[in-house]
Amino acid sequence: MRWMLRSKIHQATVTQADLDYVGSITIDEELMEMVGLLPGERVLVVSNTSGARLETYTIPGPRRSGAICMNGAAAHLIKQGEEIIIMGFELADKPVAPKQIVLGPHNEFVRWLAAEIYDTRLTDMMAQV
């Protein structure tokens, strides 16, 4: 069994950083559904701006709001306006075709990342292991 990338939201912009919240990351519910993230799911968040990395859990935000909010202690590491990547993983015994999206400057869906290319390369690599 290996941890495999299953969900990825790329080039998201943090719309709010709320130190007074208990914890987590709030993500527009529609974006969560597009990549298959569930409420309460553990995610890895990486800032393309600062290089900060952290794990937290998801909370759905208002649908089609573009909300990406760092809450609680995470707001010390990743600030409003930073560009981030949000990733969910799955423990699997075979390759997983991840659902990956790229967002625009207002956290609107722009395009799917080419999962079929990623999946083909991953399948080829797994065959060699």
Side-chain angles (χ1 to χ4, degrees), residues 52-69:
R53 301 172 71 89
L54 62 93
E55 286 186 347
T56 190
Y57 62 94
T58 61
I59 292 179
R63 184 176 289 279
R64 296 191 179 119
S65 65
I68 303 287
C69 306

Side-chain angles (χ1 to χ4, degrees), residues 11-15 28 31 65-68 103-109:
Q11 295 180 334
T13 301
V14 177
T15 58
D28 178 318
L31 299 175
S65 65
I68 303 287
L103 302 184
H106 304 289
N107 291 333
E108 73 280 5
F109 171 80

Side-chain angles (χ1 to χ4, degrees), residues 38-59:
L38 299 174
E41 183 172 345
R42 183 173 84 179
V43 290
L44 174 64
V45 182
V46 179
S47 172
N48 288 335
T49 306
S50 69
R53 301 172 71 89
L54 62 93
E55 286 186 347
T56 190
Y57 62 94
T58 61
I59 292 179

Side-chain angles (χ1 to χ4, degrees), residues 14-28 32 40 43 45 54-62 67-80 84 86:
V14 177
T15 58
Q16 183 179 0
D18 185 357
L19 287 170
D20 294 325
Y21 196 84
V22 176
S24 71
I25 182 171
T26 303
I27 304 170
D28 178 318
M32 288 179 62
V43 290
V45 182
L54 62 93
E55 286 186 347
T56 190
Y57 62 94
T58 61
I59 292 179
I68 303 287
C69 306
M70 300 308 303
N71 301 313
H76 283 290
L77 297 175
I78 299 177
K79 312 281 187 210
Q80 182 175 344
I84 62 172
I86 305 163

Side-chain angles (χ1 to χ4, degrees), residues 1-4 89-93 96:
M1 301 286 276
R2 298 173 188 225
W3 287 105
M4 306 298 291
F89 297 89
E90 176 178 330
L91 188 58
D93 60 357
V96 173

